Amino acid sequence: DRPDPPRALRLSGVSGTSLSLSWSPGFDGGLPQHFLLRAEGPDAPPPPAALVTSGFSLTLGGLRPATPYDVTVRARNARGDSAPARLRAVTS
């Protein structure tokens, strides 16, 4: 089956140009999974692509200072993507 969404998405660090995030994995659907992260902010250039990791934390860099971002994290396995876990965060 498709994986469950990541749980307990939280901000673990902030700088002027980066957001550090961590989460707990949901049920993997019985298959290997990885995670896709994306940050979108108003008046900020769209991200060129989602960042992918097999771990449970990642730092998103190259962001604009003092800008709010809507961050989404989705789990993905061979059957598809989970619903997103969402977080709103502001760079310093």
Side-chain angles (χ1 to χ4, degrees):
D1 230 3
R2 291 185 327 168
D4 288 345
R7 296 178 286 116
L9 177 60
R10 59 200 169 276
L11 193 61
S12 56
V14 160
S15 79
T17 58
S18 69
L19 298 171
S20 296
L21 305 155
S22 58
W23 59 91
S24 299
F27 176 64
D28 61 12
L31 298 166
Q33 69 179 348
H34 54 272
F35 301 92
L36 289 80
L37 287 82
R38 183 178 296 271
E40 296 179 352
D43 302 323
L51 297 174
V52 178
T53 182
S54 58
F56 310 128
S57 64
L58 189 72
T59 298
L60 299 169
L63 305 177
R64 288 195 174 171
T67 302
Y69 283 90
D70 291 313
V71 179
T72 58
V73 180
R74 294 177 188 268
R76 175 178 282 176
N77 68 17
R79 302 270 183 191
D81 290 359
S82 73
R86 299 180 187 276
L87 175 79
R88 183 139 176 115
V90 181
T91 51
S92 59

